[in-house]
């Protein structure tokens, strides 16, 4: 377990800030304060740089915190987003804390200011102490992993001598806000993330480990419900593992258990696993034990329904081989992936079983082994880690995340293949892992991932699930190359790329709501009527969506300001339990629960979502949509949406990402 | 936020020629009315921040020069203050109209031509080194040879260097040190005509002098640690010992150039025998942010001082009260170091730890490199940014500034 006071990794100098440096800071602040607004920009670098030097000292955070009000009044945040703390978005702090020195510094100053507000030392005109407190709690929850993860290479490169700062800052915040508050929030946060059933559980597991440490701390009173379920699902989900005895002891206990006890253990593990999506390291020991000694309990240990049980019995040998290769205490999530894959019944698709046999015997190329080593514990064979990833991707198609990389297209493709064309996915994995090359075709011409130039991501991703680690670099280069082959064409390249890249089922019909040349809104009303006609069951003859379809979203922040274009998959459209028509979609972003502003909040649970799905009411989704595909042979007539509904959607567009994109001629006239 | 300063309509109305944010800020905080005369790219900024502004593109003087002078006169402007070398002759032309004194224009032209300037100084009995004008590379070779013959060098002895300065460039721009014919070949065509001077081994320093009614109102000596790299104010006690002689030299300069008001920034050498040689003089604020250094140690705003000394309505009493006492009123020493990348290929900015943890280190204005390959320095080129130091001891500061030359700021 992680030591709560992780002082060793704190690289800041152990000295206190020298008086002359504090004087210089105060002088720099005074100069900024005295400057006229037009000249402040020239005085700011000195303030920031002096703050940076102060922060290199042990008491630097306190020194800055004590000057938080002076800094803000002097104009440190003037003209930036931080000037309006009431609009700050906690999730963006992550980017700031892992970004380059300048943005890290501003974020640090801002967070310390909020701390001063939260502690009642600074009465802020725009935010209350309670608000500051709540916001900092979110910051801590979102960045808690920075508290115990060693900094990655990117941060070392960008932050230099300040690499220690995010951790020191979060510790400083936590020690004043109080761990118990974060822990409670954190528990809620972990549950929210886990409800989306991500393939990558590392961050959640680390946070739970942290909570477990708090449970043993007598000074922290845990009140949050659900902490126990989280902690026990990892460290003691069953009667025989309740007190976290350690793997060796548990292995010994297994040897002495009778069938009844094994049965209890099996269902205990299965319950915890399906409850949280997390798998305890003890679970693999039981599964392997059952495989040798009590095979009849295997289905119980996997928590299978009759579908999964049936599937397992049909493919008994294959399932055994998969368990042997993939399931170890270092790769426990493979069990969850296996269970969900069996439940999906996809093994009944005839290419799948032989494709998995190929995967079992696949000779990995050195490049793949190296990439897998980046995301594996030591001593875990690359084949094992990759198979764990394969099982998880097949079992949790909507659990694929793009990590901290601009590769949403590739993540979306992997997820879509797992949903729709799993044997094709396995083919891709085989090519990438064995041959270090994927060849796709673009309009009849081969595109090799080896010959293609750079991808969208400038450096190879290092924070993905095993399958993505191996396949995404190839997909990303191919995607970028397809884009290059569209250079010079009039219109948005996704029109041609999406069907070729994702699969034949992507509609060749294509509509975009933005004029590519000018970036202005384009034929918005027709665009919307067409979208309704293609996707809305009330307007398309009650036809459920057949294949997942790629779509483009204009992502907005919580103040409804345009952030960027983003790739999602429309999965289905249907009524929720309150008879609201909703679009259920997959977002390759790691956490789909986002606030897009003006009341558009993406839901991930509680509105009929399946694990990994995000959803919005149809109108709200339509208000952020800018690209969709359709079958040109089935597009039907434009939907006769009511004027009010059309007006509502258009108002939402104009009030968010469309605000600065209004065409010179007014948007089409609304019908009477 | 700072409250707007109340402007005194009984005092002068000043036009600032050229765009300098620090100068604008100083003017905004001073009791004189002012207007910024700058190229039209400054307009959005001035409009946004309510800065009084008149667009003008300072190219070569032409037949439209009268137009700007008349515009300013019609606005009621009393004096034009040049902020950059390129605006010195404009200020001369404009002030000759505003003050109805045609001589001011001729005076400013002297300040813009290094060769004329030297001859005038020589005529005034001021000591100058050997100098000559060069119109092409042959002139340079001939001068290099002759100077070294004069120094009784034999063929094959390493040459004493000569200095080569484009006629109309400010400060170190276009300033080259020439030792060999190869150096001569490297001079680009556009730097001719130029002034060539013999090299003087000695102590180089610069002076900032504010002049009111033909008298020195305040005189600062800036000590160079290494020309083109570092400077600090006030000068070390050793150099300050020469202050009386330096003052005499400046008074001579003021007489010779017939300067009644404003500000001059001359450069001198003191040779080992205590003789002072005039280098050149500029009629505008110095580079290397000496104004900022002065404010740091003396507390007065040097731009405001500039405005004051140009303002024909400023009284002798006001001028006297504005300036602190020279040297004794300075709180410590302030210096800055101009950083040049030392490597051919750089990717990041990293302030050396020993530099930024030094108690004298105050701030820097360096930015991350935009390009990875460093252009080879030809002339005393443009540094990549300044690093500022402040401390109590001149000697420590001097050594500290010198030491920076051995450190890498860009890796």
């Amino acid at each position: 377990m992680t030591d709560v006071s992780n002082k060793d990794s704190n690289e800041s100098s152990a000295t206190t800030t020298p008086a002359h440096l504090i004087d210089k800071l105060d002088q720099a602040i005074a100069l900024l304060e005295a400057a006229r607004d037009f000249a402040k920009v020239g005085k700011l670098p000195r303030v920031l740089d002096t703050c940076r030097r102060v922060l290199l000292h042990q008491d630097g955070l306190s020194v800055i915190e004590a000057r938080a009000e002076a800094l803000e009044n002097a104009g440190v945040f003037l003209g930036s987003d931080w000037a309006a703390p009431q609009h700050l978005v906690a999730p963006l702090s992550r980017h700031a804390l892992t970004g380059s020195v300048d943005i890290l510094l501003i974020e640090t100053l801002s967070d310390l200011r909020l701390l001063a507000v939260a502690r009642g030392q600074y009465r802020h005109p725009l935010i209350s102490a309670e608000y500051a407190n709540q916001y900092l709690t979110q910051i801590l929850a979102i960045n808690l992993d920075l508290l115990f993860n060693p900094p990655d290479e990117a941060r070392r490169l960008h932050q230099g001598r300040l690499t220690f700062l995010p951790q020191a800052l979060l510790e400083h915040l936590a020690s004043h806000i109080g761990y118990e508050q974060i822990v409670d929030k954190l528990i809620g946060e972990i549950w929210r993330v886990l409800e989306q059933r991500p393939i990558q559980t590392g961050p959640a597991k680390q946070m739970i480990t942290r909570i477990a440490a708090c449970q043993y701390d007598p000074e922290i009173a845990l009140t949050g419900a659900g902490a126990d379920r989280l902690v026990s699902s990892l460290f003691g989900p069953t009667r025989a593992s309740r007190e976290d005895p350690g793997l060796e002891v548990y292995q010994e206990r297994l040897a002495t258990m009778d069938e009844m006890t094994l049965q209890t253990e099996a269902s205990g593990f299965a319950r915890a696993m399906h409850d949280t999506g997390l798998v305890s390291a003890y679970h693999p020991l039981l599964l392997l034990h059952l495989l040798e000694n009590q095979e009849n309990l295997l289905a119980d240990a996997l928590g299978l329904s009759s579908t999964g049980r049936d599937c397992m019995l049909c493919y008994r040998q294959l399932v055994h081989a998969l368990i042997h290769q993939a399931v170890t205490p270092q790769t426990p999530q493979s069990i969850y992936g296996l269970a969900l894959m069996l439940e999906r019944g996809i093994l009944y698709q005839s290419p799948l079983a032989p494709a998995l046999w190929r995967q079992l015997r696949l000779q990995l190329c050195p490049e793949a082994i190296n990439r897998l080593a980046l995301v594996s514990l030591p001593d875990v064979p690359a084949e094992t880690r990759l198979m764990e990833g394969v099982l998880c991707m097949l079992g949790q198609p909507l659990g694929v995340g793009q990590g901290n990389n601009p590769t949403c297209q590739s993540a979306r493709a992997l997820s879509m293949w797992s949903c729709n064309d799993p044997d094709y996915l396995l083919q891709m994995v085989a090519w990438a892992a064995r041959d270090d090359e994927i060849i796709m075709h673009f309009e009849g011409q081969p595109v090799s991932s080896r010959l293609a130039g750079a991808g969208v991501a400038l450096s190879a991703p290092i924070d993905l699930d095993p399958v993505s680690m191996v396949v995404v670099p190839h997909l990303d280069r191919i995607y970028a190359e397809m884009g290059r082959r569209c250079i010079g064409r009039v219109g948005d390249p996704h029109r041609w790329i999406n069907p070729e890249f994702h699969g034949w089922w992507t509609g060749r019909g294509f509509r975009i709501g933005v004029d590519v040349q000018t970036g202005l809104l384009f034929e918005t009303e027709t665009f919307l009527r067409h979208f309704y006609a293609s996707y809305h069951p009330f307007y398309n003859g009650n036809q459920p969506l057949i294949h997942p379809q790629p779509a483009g979203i204009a992502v907005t922040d919580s103040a409804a300001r345009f952030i960027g274009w983003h790739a999602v998959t429309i999965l289905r459209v249907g009524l929720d339990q309150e008879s609201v028509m909703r679009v259920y979609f997959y977002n390759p972003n790691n956490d789909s629960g986002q606030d897009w502003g003006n009341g558009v909040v993406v839901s991930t649970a509680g509105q009929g979502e399946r694990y990994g799905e995000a959803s919005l009411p149809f109108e709200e989704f339509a208000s952020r949509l800018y690209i969709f595909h359709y079958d040109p042979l089935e597009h039907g007539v434009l939907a006769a949406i009511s004027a009010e509904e059309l007006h509502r959607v258009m108002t939402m567009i104009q009030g968010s990402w469309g605000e600065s994109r209004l065409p010179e001629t007014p948007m089409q006239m609304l019908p009477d | 936020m700072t409250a707007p300063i109340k402007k005194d309509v009984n005092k002068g109305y000043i036009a600032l020629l050229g765009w300098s944010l620090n100068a604008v800020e100083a003017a905004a905080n001073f009791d004189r009315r002012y207007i910024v005369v700058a190229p039209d790219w400054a307009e959005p900024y001035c409009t946004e921040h309510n800065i009084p502004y008149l667009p003008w593109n300072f190219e070569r003087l032409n037949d439209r020069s009268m137009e700007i002078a008349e515009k300013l006169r019609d606005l009621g402007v009393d004096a034009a203050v040049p902020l950059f070398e390129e605006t010195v002759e404009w200020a001369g032309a404009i002030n000759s109209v505003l003050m109805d004194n045609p001589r001011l224009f001729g005076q400013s032209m002297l300040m813009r031509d290094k060769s004329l300037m030297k001859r005038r100084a020589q005529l005034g009995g001021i000591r100058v080194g050997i100098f000559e004008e060069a119109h092409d590379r042959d002139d340079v070779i001939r001068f290099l040879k002759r100077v070294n013959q004069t120094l009784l060098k034999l063929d094959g002895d390493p040459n004493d260097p000569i200095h080569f300065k484009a006629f109309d460039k400010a400060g170190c721009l276009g300033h080259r040190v020439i030792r060999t014919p190869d150096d001569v070949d490297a001079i680009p065509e556009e730097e001719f005509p130029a002034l060539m001077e013999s090299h003087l081994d000695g102590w180089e320093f610069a002076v900032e002098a504010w002049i009111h009614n033909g008298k020195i109102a305040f005189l600062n000596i800036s000590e160079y640690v290494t020309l083109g790299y570092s400077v600090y104010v006030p000068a070390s006690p050793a150099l300050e010992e020469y202050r009386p002689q330096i003052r005499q030299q400046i008074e001579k300069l003021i007489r010779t150039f017939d300067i009644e008001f404003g500000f001059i920034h001359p450069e001198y050498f003191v040779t080992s025998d205590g003789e002072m040689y005039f280098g050149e003089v500029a009629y505008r604020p110095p580079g290397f942010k000496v104004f900022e250094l002065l404010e740091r140690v003396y507390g007065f705003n040097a731009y405001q001082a500039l405005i004051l000394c140009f303002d024909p309505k400023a009284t002798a009493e006001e001028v006297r009260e504005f300036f602190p006492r020279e040297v004794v009123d300075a709180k410590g020493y302030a210096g800055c170091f101009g950083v040049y990348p030392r490597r051919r290929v750089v990717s990041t900015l990293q302030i050396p730890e020993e530099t930024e943890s030094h108690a004298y280190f105050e701030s820097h204005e360096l930015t991350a490199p935009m390009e990875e390959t460093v252009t080879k320095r030809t002339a005393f080129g443009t540094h990549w940014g300044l690093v500022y130091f402040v401390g109590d001891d001149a000697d420590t500061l001097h050594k500290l500034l010198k030491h920076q030359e051995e450190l890498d700021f860009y890796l």
Side-chain angles (χ1 to χ4, degrees):
Chain A
M1 253 170 243
T2 329
D3 180 11
V4 176
S5 55
N6 198 352
K7 290 287 183 225
D8 292 345
S9 59
N10 190 335
E11 293 171 18
S12 70
S13 63
T15 55
T16 51
T17 314
H20 71 82
L21 192 53
I22 295 182
D23 287 348
K24 280 171 182 158
L25 176 62
D26 290 335
Q27 284 164 13
I29 296 173
L31 281 175
L32 182 67
E33 163 86 38
R36 306 204 157 257
D37 280 359
F38 67 77
K40 284 199 192 286
V41 60
K43 320 280 179 196
L44 191 57
R46 176 159 164 196
V47 173
L48 290 181
D49 192 60
T50 314
C51 285
R52 182 185 62 81
R53 283 153 59 210
V54 168
L55 287 168
L56 290 171
H57 298 274
Q58 203 174 33
D59 60 346
L61 290 159
S62 308
V63 171
I64 302 288
E65 189 195 332
R67 285 158 181 77
E69 187 168 0
L71 278 162
E72 177 154 23
N73 289 340
V76 167
F77 304 116
L78 211 69
S80 76
D81 287 349
W82 289 273
Q86 72 276 26
H87 292 315
L88 284 178
V89 188
L92 293 182
S93 67
R94 169 139 207 110
H95 167 71
L97 291 178
T98 55
S100 60
V101 170
D102 289 343
I103 189 166
L104 169 63
L105 273 175
I106 283 278
E107 179 70 26
T108 303
L109 299 190
S110 172
D111 292 350
L112 290 172
R113 157 190 65 173
L114 292 167
L115 182 59
V117 174
R119 295 171 73 186
Q121 295 159 348
Y122 172 15
R123 289 178 66 88
H124 199 284
L126 297 172
I127 44 167
S128 65
E130 292 72 29
Y131 182 88
N133 196 68
Q134 190 192 356
Y135 182 83
L136 288 175
T137 309
Q138 286 178 32
I139 297 242
L140 283 163
I142 286 156
N143 298 294
L144 223 80
D145 57 319
L146 295 178
L147 205 52
F148 24 81
N149 282 8
D152 56 32
E153 271 310 302
R155 271 184 51 209
R156 283 196 186 283
L157 184 71
H158 287 128
Q159 302 180 340
R161 286 179 71 195
L162 284 186
T163 311
F164 77 93
L165 183 58
Q167 187 189 10
L169 171 69
L170 293 169
E171 253 174 37
H172 183 81
L173 297 177
S175 65
H176 289 102
I177 292 288
Y179 275 102
E180 64 274 17
Q181 283 205 51
I182 327 160
V183 169
D184 288 353
K185 286 275 160 58
L186 186 61
I187 292 162
E189 186 68 14
I190 295 170
W191 276 110
R192 197 182 64 75
V193 169
L194 287 180
E195 269 168 355
Q196 301 173 49
R197 289 296 191 267
I199 292 177
Q200 285 206 274
T201 52
K205 284 184 173 175
Q206 270 161 343
M207 290 189 241
I208 294 169
T209 309
R210 183 95 189 171
I211 293 171
C214 291
Q215 277 189 325
Y216 290 106
D217 187 336
E219 301 210 338
I220 298 174
L222 282 184
T223 56
D228 216 37
R229 268 159 73 206
L230 289 174
V231 173
S232 69
S233 75
L234 279 189
F235 298 108
T238 62
R239 196 173 292 169
S241 61
R242 170 59 60 204
E243 84 288 15
D244 194 9
L247 293 175
E248 277 176 37
V249 174
Y250 187 73
Q251 185 76 60
E252 283 167 19
R253 286 181 190 171
L254 278 174
T256 63
M257 288 183 198
D258 59 14
E259 188 173 350
M260 273 286 285
T261 320
L262 285 172
Q263 168 87 54
T264 321
E265 289 293 296
S267 39
F269 278 125
R271 210 173 18 244
M273 174 173 83
H274 287 288
D275 182 28
T276 58
L278 299 176
V279 188
S280 159
Y282 296 114
H283 200 160
L285 294 183
L286 175 82
L287 204 68
L288 293 168
H289 181 78
L290 295 179
L291 201 60
E292 301 299 322
N293 306 300
Q294 202 79 50
E295 200 193 320
N296 59 322
L297 291 179
L298 221 47
D300 296 288
L302 291 170
L304 297 179
S305 73
S306 58
T307 310
R309 189 179 297 259
D310 200 41
C311 199
M312 184 180 77
L313 293 174
C314 280
Y315 294 92
R316 179 171 165 269
Q317 255 191 308
L318 175 63
V319 170
H320 286 202
L322 291 173
I323 293 175
H324 275 301
Q325 184 172 80
V327 178
T328 70
Q330 288 82 39
T331 54
Q333 289 301 126
S334 56
I335 300 177
Y336 188 55
L338 175 66
L340 292 188
M341 180 187 77
L342 292 170
E343 287 294 335
R344 289 184 67 202
I346 51 174
L347 282 186
Y348 292 123
Q349 299 178 21
S350 51
L352 215 69
L356 282 170
W357 281 113
R358 172 184 57 193
Q359 185 67 37
L360 280 163
R361 292 170 192 143
L362 203 66
Q363 290 281 331
L364 304 191
C365 63
E367 291 77 9
I369 293 174
N370 290 339
R371 308 241 343 108
L372 286 165
L374 294 173
V375 290
S376 301
L377 293 166
D379 304 328
V380 177
E383 291 78 8
T384 297
R385 184 74 172 118
L386 182 57
M387 184 55 90
E388 178 191 34
V390 166
L391 292 175
C392 287
M393 196 166 279
L394 289 175
Q396 303 159 262
L398 306 180
V400 185
Q402 68 190 76
N404 193 17
N405 313 287
T407 51
C408 54
Q409 303 275 347
S410 302
R412 176 172 71 174
L414 287 172
S415 156
M416 209 183 280
W417 297 332
S418 175
C419 282
N420 205 36
D421 206 356
D423 51 297
Y424 182 74
L425 172 68
L426 289 174
Q427 186 67 56
M428 289 289 159
V429 175
W431 281 337
R434 183 189 59 204
D435 311 331
D436 196 30
E437 178 176 27
I438 287 179
I439 296 178
M440 288 170 79
H441 287 77
F442 185 70
E443 297 174 347
Q445 300 298 313
V447 181
S448 161
S449 64
R450 272 203 195 161
L451 299 178
V456 179
L458 296 174
S459 54
I462 50 165
D463 53 351
L464 299 175
D465 65 88
V467 171
S468 298
M469 282 298 285
V470 174
V471 184
V472 164
H474 294 276
L475 295 182
D476 186 38
R477 285 196 291 271
I478 290 174
Y479 172 75
E481 174 62 23
M482 288 182 175
R484 281 189 279 272
R485 294 194 184 184
C486 291
I487 289 173
R489 297 186 190 184
V490 178
D492 187 280
H494 296 102
R495 172 190 295 266
W496 304 283
I497 297 175
N498 281 347
E500 300 274 1
F501 188 70
H502 290 90
W504 65 266
W505 58 86
T506 303
R508 294 273 168 178
F510 178 85
R511 269 215 89 107
I512 179 164
V514 172
D515 180 67
V516 180
Q517 296 296 319
T518 61
L520 299 177
L521 292 175
F522 180 69
E523 294 186 355
T524 306
E525 185 186 330
T526 320
F527 177 83
L528 290 172
R529 288 186 187 279
H530 199 165
F531 178 60
Y532 272 72
S534 304
Y535 285 85
H536 196 298
F538 292 172
Y539 298 97
N540 74 354
N542 202 18
Q543 172 59 57
L545 186 61
I546 300 170
H547 295 103
Q549 289 292 335
I553 291 288
V555 177
T556 48
D557 65 11
S558 63
R561 288 173 302 190
F562 177 69
I563 297 283
W565 311 114
H566 189 56
V568 301
T569 309
I570 301 179
L571 298 168
R572 57 195 179 93
V573 180
L575 295 172
D576 68 10
Q577 66 269 41
E578 281 153 12
S579 294
V580 176
M581 188 62 75
R582 299 184 82 87
V583 177
Y584 295 89
F585 60 101
Y586 160 77
N587 185 340
N589 209 312
N590 314 294
D591 178 4
S592 305
Q594 296 167 341
D595 182 351
W596 289 349
N598 291 355
V600 179
V601 179
V602 181
S603 160
T604 54
Q607 310 288 339
E609 295 87 356
R610 297 168 192 159
Y611 289 141
E613 280 183 343
S615 86
L616 278 177
F618 199 93
E619 288 178 20
E620 294 183 4
F621 185 85
S623 78
R624 295 297 189 275
L625 183 77
Y626 85 104
I627 278 180
F628 68 92
H629 290 261
Y630 63 94
D631 183 344
L633 301 180
E634 280 186 25
H635 73 306
V637 288
L638 294 185
I641 323 166
S642 74
E644 302 86 71
E645 180 158 6
L646 199 58
H647 184 73
R648 281 198 300 273
V649 178
M650 285 186 158
T651 310
M652 280 193 278
I653 296 175
Q654 288 169 16
S656 60
W657 64 283
E659 191 177 8
S660 58
R661 299 174 178 274
L662 298 181
E664 297 205 354
T665 47
M667 293 165 95
Q668 285 156 279
M669 294 299 291
L670 298 176
D672 294 328
Chain B
M1 302 309 125
T2 319
I5 291 288
K6 189 149 170 43
K7 301 290 176 187
D8 189 340
V9 291
N10 296 317
K11 294 180 176 175
Y13 185 176
I14 302 298
L16 298 174
L17 303 191
W19 174 256
S20 155
L21 192 57
N22 285 341
V24 176
E25 196 190 4
N29 289 331
F30 203 36
D31 61 1
R32 264 89 181 156
R33 290 164 294 158
Y34 74 102
I35 184 164
V36 174
V37 184
D40 42 20
W41 47 252
E43 182 157 10
Y45 196 85
C46 291
T47 312
E48 186 189 339
H49 297 287
N50 281 324
I51 298 168
Y53 166 77
L54 189 69
W56 195 259
N57 286 316
F58 298 101
E59 289 147 17
R60 289 272 160 197
L61 280 180
N62 54 34
D63 45 7
R64 290 184 62 210
S65 311
M66 200 60 190
E67 185 183 325
I68 179 74
E70 282 167 351
K71 266 189 188 171
L72 291 173
R73 189 184 57 197
D74 295 347
L75 284 170
V77 169
D78 295 301
V81 178
L83 295 179
F84 299 100
E85 185 67 23
E86 292 74 11
T87 57
V88 167
E89 73 231 47
W90 285 91
I94 293 168
N95 283 334
S96 64
V97 174
L98 296 180
M99 301 178 186
D100 196 19
N101 181 353
R103 210 170 35 81
L104 291 175
F105 176 59
Q107 184 194 59
S108 73
M109 289 310 284
L110 271 184
M111 300 289 186
R112 284 285 280 141
D113 184 311
K114 287 184 175 147
S115 176
L116 287 178
M117 179 195 303
K118 274 230 143 103
R119 282 187 208 291
R120 178 65 168 262
Q122 215 173 15
L123 288 172
I126 295 169
R127 273 191 100 129
V128 297
I130 307 171
F131 71 95
E132 215 169 272
E133 289 161 33
H135 294 279
D136 56 32
R137 296 195 182 82
D138 286 345
D139 289 346
V140 186
I141 302 258
R142 201 177 316 115
F143 184 73
L144 181 67
K145 267 196 183 143
R146 198 140 40 95
V147 166
N148 279 288
Q149 277 168 358
T150 319
L151 295 168
L152 302 179
K153 298 251 174 167
L154 301 175
D155 254 2
D157 280 354
N159 280 336
D160 249 31
I162 60 164
H163 294 264
F164 176 97
K165 296 174 184 174
F167 263 179
D168 57 353
K169 294 224 171 104
C172 289
L173 289 170
H175 178 176
R176 295 159 179 274
V177 177
I178 308 279
R179 287 189 172 81
T180 67
D182 280 352
D183 294 336
V184 179
D185 285 342
I187 305 171
E189 206 62 58
E190 64 269 17
E191 292 195 5
F192 290 99
L195 179 77
M196 301 173 292
E197 296 168 273
S198 59
H199 177 76
L200 291 165
D201 267 330
W203 213 343
E204 190 167 15
F205 64 90
V207 167
E208 286 75 33
W210 281 264
I211 298 160
H212 190 247
N213 288 340
K215 294 199 178 60
I216 300 172
F218 187 85
L219 187 149
N220 171 66
I221 305 170
S222 295
E223 182 161 347
Y224 291 132
V225 177
T226 304
L227 181 66
Y229 275 97
S230 39
V231 67
Y232 61 94
V233 303
S236 60
L239 183 54
E240 283 291 347
E241 275 192 15
Y242 289 97
R243 181 172 274 269
Q245 289 101 302
I246 292 172
R247 200 176 178 87
Q248 281 177 5
Q249 287 292 325
I250 300 299
E251 281 163 352
K252 215 182 227 183
L253 200 64
I254 292 172
R255 273 199 309 278
T256 307
F257 284 82
D258 209 0
I259 301 169
E260 268 300 303
F261 63 89
F263 169 84
I264 54 170
H265 165 56
E267 285 178 344
Y268 288 90
F269 275 99
V270 192
T271 51
S272 44
D273 55 0
E275 199 63 64
M276 246 165 267
Y277 288 84
F278 169 74
E280 60 183 71
V281 59
Y283 198 63
R284 49 143 178 95
F288 254 75
K289 300 278 171 85
V290 172
F291 272 22
E292 282 75 4
L293 298 180
L294 284 170
E295 180 164 11
R296 184 68 184 79
V297 289
Y298 281 110
F300 75 90
N301 184 300
Y303 287 104
Q304 290 175 356
L306 193 66
I307 292 170
L308 185 68
C309 288
F310 269 88
D311 178 7
K313 296 184 181 165
T315 64
E317 192 190 4
E318 191 187 4
V319 171
R320 196 165 50 242
E321 277 173 11
F322 183 89
F323 287 105
R325 289 174 300 159
E326 291 156 359
V327 188
V328 285
D329 279 350
K331 293 191 187 71
Y333 296 85
C336 60
F337 174 77
V339 173
Y340 301 88
R342 285 157 30 106
R343 308 181 179 200
R344 288 291 286 142
V345 177
V346 295
S347 58
T348 55
L349 162 69
Q350 197 172 339
I351 310 292
E353 208 171 322
E354 59 171 298
T355 300
E356 72 175 20
S357 51
H358 196 285
Y360 280 20
F361 175 79
E362 181 149 276
S363 63
H364 72 82
E365 47 190 46
L366 299 170
T367 50
M370 306 291 278
E371 287 170 29
E372 297 217 322
T373 319
V374 179
T375 4
K376 203 162 167 245
R377 269 177 81 190
T378 47
F380 281 95
T382 328
H383 52 75
W384 283 29
L386 294 172
V387 183
Y388 296 90
F389 300 90
V390 174
D392 290 333
D393 181 54
D395 192 43
T396 311
L397 181 62
H398 196 107
K399 286 180 179 141
L400 185 63
L401 288 168
K402 186 78 194 162
H403 179 59
Q404 302 307 310
E405 292 169 28
E406 293 158 28
L407 302 177
D408 277 314
F409 287 73
Y410 286 95
L411 299 176

